[in-house]
Amino acid sequence: MSVTIRPMREADREAVTGLLVQLAAWEADLSSTRARGRETALALLEADSAQTRSQGGAQFVAERDGICLGYLALRLGRTGPYVHAELRDHVLIENIVVAERERGTGIGQMLLAQAERFARERGCRALLLGALTGNEPALRAYRLAGFEAVSYEMLKRLD
């Protein structure tokens, strides 16, 4: 059976939480700034839900045979005047994750295509997302989907 991308439902919360546990663990292995665990995943899901409600966004899942294999949360955003006018209104991908066992199968590309459709339907001409330094599989997937690096976020720890 094929993979379907559809809006997230309340019944998907537990499966999506499991995906976000995987995402948090992956990111915690890449960066000492990231938290891991179920509490982190629940907080991520709550933040995604609140932001999508308040900022015109949406949450989607990828499923096959009733099993949730991927998750996408996105919201509308507006960048300041330092960006060309046609790129200011954008869609920001807050979170995207594919089940570990399904990575590399094209599900991430399907979710990114859904984000692009969502943005185009709202008249946006730009999609934005962030990725951790060293997350080479994600960076390759984003480049494959047509993303390019335009800025870097940097951190200095203060004692």
Side-chain angles (χ1 to χ4, degrees):
M1 191 171 192
S2 64
V3 174
T4 302
I5 307 294
R6 62 164 175 78
M8 183 182 152
R9 300 180 202 130
E10 185 62 31
D12 299 319
R13 287 186 70 78
E14 190 58 36
V16 169
T17 298
L19 291 171
L20 290 171
V21 166
Q22 290 179 25
L23 176 63
W26 174 260
E27 289 189 345
D29 286 345
L30 291 172
S31 173
S32 63
T33 67
R34 298 298 200 214
R36 66 173 75 231
R38 184 170 173 79
E39 299 253 341
T40 297
L42 290 168
L44 281 171
L45 184 54
E46 183 52 41
D48 286 348
S49 297
Q51 288 174 335
T52 58
R53 279 191 307 272
S54 69
Q55 297 179 34
Q59 293 165 281
F60 296 94
V61 296
E63 77 171 5
R64 182 177 54 229
D65 298 328
I67 298 170
C68 187
L69 305 173
Y71 168 72
L72 168 69
L74 40 80
R75 65 177 172 86
L76 297 175
R78 182 158 178 84
T79 305
Y82 49 86
V83 171
H84 292 293
E86 70 273 9
L87 301 176
R88 288 183 195 150
D89 291 320
H90 62 269
V91 168
L92 175 65
I93 297 173
E94 286 289 347
N95 278 302
I96 184 169
V97 60
V98 173
E100 288 180 53
R101 69 185 179 282
E102 298 290 337
R103 291 182 187 154
T105 65
I107 293 171
Q109 294 301 310
M110 292 174 69
L111 290 167
L112 291 170
Q114 176 62 40
E116 186 172 333
R117 278 190 297 279
F118 183 90
R120 289 181 186 281
E121 288 168 359
R122 282 146 188 85
C124 295
R125 297 189 53 205
L127 269 175
L128 298 178
L129 57 73
L132 284 176
T133 304
N135 192 351
E136 291 305 320
L139 293 170
R140 276 192 304 278
Y142 301 148
R143 286 186 196 104
L144 180 65
F147 286 82
E148 61 181 306
V150 295
S151 67
Y152 294 96
E153 183 176 275
M154 298 177 79
L155 171 81
K156 178 180 180 180
R157 292 180 188 263
L158 304 175
D159 296 328

